[in-house]
Structures are given as C-alpha cells and as structure tokens.
Amino acid sequence: MTHSTRRKRIGASVGVAIGALLAALPATAQEDSYRVYVANEFGADITVIDTATDEVVQTITISDRPGEVRPRGMAVSPNGETIYLSVSDFYPEREAPEDKILAVNVETNEAAGEFRAGGNPERIAVSPDGTQIWASLEALAQGAGYDVATGERFAVHRVGVEAEGVAVSPDNKWVYVTAEATHTVTIIDIAANKVVKHLLVGNRPRVVEFSTDGKRAYVSAEIGGVISVIDTEQQVVTDTINLGLDSRPVEVAVAPDGKRLYVAGGGTSAVYVIDTESNEVIETITERMGRRPWGIAITPDGQRVYTANGLSDSVSVIDTSTLQVINNIPAGRGAHSVEIGVVPAND
C-alpha cells in the first residue's frame, strides 16, 4: 500500500504550555505502534515513518527557510508520546531568534509547544520522570535545564567548549554534557544544581548515553574513533572501546535489555554492535547501509534499529535478531538524528 506524504508547518509559536503535551488524546490504534522521526538538518523538516510498513507517512515542515534554520538533536518523552526537537541557525558562535526547542505530539503529529533555548541548542535530553529537558548550548559552552510544564530555564552551567551531547541518568541524579573542542564530559549534580567534575574522554566527543541500570555512560569520540566507558559511581573512565580512526562514531543507542550498544559510524558507513558485558565489538554492519549514518535509535521492543544517514538522505533499518539491514527508506536532506515515538493503544 502506498501512503501519501503530507506536510504541516510547526515553525510558528503555538502559545501553549509544554506540559499540555502529556495530556492524552483519543487513541485510534488497537495496540501500541511506533513511528520513526528523522530530523533533516538541511531540509528544515522532519520525516515521519510508520514502522509497520517502513514507509514515509508524513513530512513536517519546521521552516520555509532551509539553509538558514536547521533541526538537529532529538529526544523522546518517557512514555514515547512526545518528540522534542532542538532548532537553531547555522551560526553556532552566536545566539539567534531561531534557537528553540519544539515539541510534537506523536499521535497527531501536530505542534504541541515550543520555548526559547538561546545559545544554539545542539542536542537535548528528557529526564526519566518527564519533567525536565536539558540542552547543550553550543554557542555559550553551557548546559541548561528547562521545566517541561512552563518552558522556563531553571539551571545553567558552564561546560566545555562547543557543547554537544547531553544525557540524564536513569535515577535523575546526573546530567552529562560533552564538549567537542575540550574533549570533555561535564558532570552536573541535578539536586545540588552544580557542576561536580570535568572528565577527559576521546578526541571530539559527540554523544553520551547511560546504560539501562545507570552504572555506566558511553561517550562517542568522532575524531578519536573510540567509545569511552564511564563508571558513574566513581565518575572515571574505566574502558575505551576502539572502533578505528576512520569510524567517526556519532550517536549511540543502548538496547532496551541493556545487553548491546549500537554505534553509528559515519566515517565507515557502518553500525558497530558492542557487547556491553565484555565491551567488545561483536558485529560491524556495512552491507546495504546508507552513507554516513549519523543518528541511531532502537524501537522500544528492541526488534529494530533505525539510522539517519546524512549523505544518502535515507534511513536504514536493521533487524536486531539477524544484525542485517532489511530496508532503506528515503528521508529528507541531511538526515541528522532519529527518535522512536509511541502511538498509544486504545484502552
């Protein structure tokens, strides 16, 4: 069956509280289903894919000024029903009116709120309880926290230069922020609202993700070609997983059962599969992969991995049982990041 592609604008301010995103709307699905959201950096839009068919069902326009406004980092609410998106211009050294965080209701694909995040927000993360959003502000070398219900900023901290990745620990105690130019991870104590440590990691760290139990954090180093493994209790790097200097790893995703780490290797157009017990690469997926996989996400049931491929403007689909690419789906220009949303079932 061929699905038509529809376009909707969400660039205009909607003037509603972000907290309204959590209100449930009447569901039409018979059971929970998944949608893939791809932020297209150079197309200024979001590609929406139905995982049941792996077909594009909608394209959501962020701005009618592609090349001036760019969507990049994405995050999903704990219940999977809201996608958050960081938007900025192409000048990371300055604050601009375009700098904001947008939200999309997964069930309706409609805009559900937005708020200012001045300082060129690169990537974002949602707290486990869904009440906070944290952003890396590239232009200001800061990590900032925002209240989901009001959009107000409640915390801002100096981090390393060229702030990039950000993650909140599963116990809601820590925020980790990476910085490309200083090769560091800054650790923020949420309750105390202060920076407690800066850690050196691999060369040009990009993304950070916590293990499902929160005992480890994984940091991709694009130039270093490694994954740094951080012991979150001791707050030290305990292992370095070498993927090769040409691998250029960016986004990483932890499997729902915590047993595997999937790494998007943009330089080799590969996905590296790491056993989290041994910290060893058990598979390198290259056959049928799109060019320069940059973003990566796993469905909540753990059965599929989706990558955003920036040079082929596509999404590759990996079956986690066979570790093979089973599909490639067209996306927008400069596919950057990818997240999985959940359409709730009828009660």
Side-chain angles (χ1 to χ4, degrees):
M1 179 184 300
T2 301
H3 294 261
S4 61
T5 300
R6 297 170 293 149
R7 302 185 66 90
K8 297 191 178 189
R9 287 185 54 86
I10 67 171
S13 176
V14 296
V16 296
I18 293 282
L21 304 170
L22 303 179
L25 296 177
T28 57
Q30 296 302 309
E31 58 183 11
D32 284 356
S33 56
Y34 306 136
R35 288 178 182 162
V36 178
Y37 291 79
V38 185
N40 302 307
E41 183 176 11
F42 303 118
D45 55 21
I46 301 172
T47 300
V48 184
I49 298 167
D50 182 349
T51 63
T53 60
D54 279 343
E55 293 185 356
V56 176
V57 295
Q58 191 164 322
T59 301
I60 303 171
T61 300
I62 301 301
S63 171
D64 57 5
R65 295 183 294 134
E68 297 180 36
V69 176
R70 58 177 175 172
R72 289 187 291 174
M74 306 181 81
V76 61
S77 63
N79 63 7
E81 297 177 17
T82 304
I83 298 293
Y84 298 97
L85 177 73
S86 62
V87 179
S88 63
D89 63 9
F90 280 84
Y91 302 94
E93 70 278 2
R94 71 183 190 192
E95 293 189 60
E98 291 82 5
D99 296 344
K100 65 182 70 175
I101 295 173
L102 301 179
V104 177
N105 183 297
V106 171
E107 187 171 17
T108 64
N109 283 337
E110 297 282 357
E114 69 175 54
F115 56 83
R116 287 281 302 150
N120 207 270
E122 173 88 4
R123 295 184 183 272
I124 53 180
V126 184
S127 63
D129 60 8
T131 64
Q132 300 174 358
I133 294 176
W134 286 80
S136 59
L137 304 181
E138 186 177 14
L140 304 178
Q142 293 175 344
Y146 303 86
D147 185 280
V148 166
T150 65
E152 294 182 3
R153 189 169 72 179
F154 62 83
V156 59
H157 299 283
R158 174 68 65 179
V159 298
V161 179
E162 292 187 44
E164 169 81 12
V166 58
V168 184
S169 63
D171 60 8
N172 207 41
K173 289 183 178 180
W174 311 106
V175 174
Y176 282 24
V177 182
T178 68
E180 296 178 64
T182 48
H183 320 303
T184 55
V185 171
T186 297
I187 301 175
I188 300 168
D189 183 321
I190 295 177
N193 196 22
K194 68 177 183 180
V195 171
V196 297
K197 197 168 188 177
H198 302 279
L199 285 177
L200 279 173
V201 289
N203 192 350
R204 199 179 185 188
R206 283 286 194 167
V207 170
V208 55
E209 291 289 343
F210 286 92
S211 61
T212 54
D213 60 11
K215 293 181 180 180
R216 296 169 302 283
Y218 303 98
V219 183
S220 63
E222 185 182 13
I223 301 300
V226 300
I227 302 295
S228 298
V229 183
I230 298 172
D231 181 314
T232 59
E233 182 177 357
Q234 300 297 321
Q235 295 180 349
V236 295
V237 175
T238 58
D239 203 353
T240 301
I241 306 168
N242 189 359
L243 305 178
L245 288 176
D246 60 348
S247 59
R248 299 296 180 97
V250 183
E251 286 194 11
V252 302
V254 179
D257 63 7
K259 295 181 179 180
R260 289 176 176 174
L261 179 71
Y262 294 86
V263 183
T268 50
S269 293
V271 168
Y272 299 89
V273 186
I274 295 170
D275 181 302
T276 57
E277 184 175 355
S278 64
N279 284 340
E280 294 182 354
V281 177
I282 59 173
E283 188 70 51
T284 301
I285 304 169
T286 58
E287 187 174 354
R288 296 189 64 196
M289 276 297 305
R291 295 174 59 206
R292 203 202 73 174
W294 195 260
I296 193 165
I298 307 175
T299 53
D301 61 13
Q303 295 182 8
R304 296 286 187 271
V305 170
Y306 289 81
T307 66
N309 308 319
L311 288 184
S312 56
D313 299 335
S314 67
V315 173
S316 294
V317 187
I318 298 170
D319 184 322
T320 59
S321 64
T322 63
L323 296 181
Q324 294 182 348
V325 175
I326 58 174
N327 207 347
N328 279 286
I329 308 163
R333 290 178 53 232
H336 183 285
S337 296
V338 58
E339 283 289 353
I340 311 295
V342 178
V343 181
N346 282 330
D347 293 330

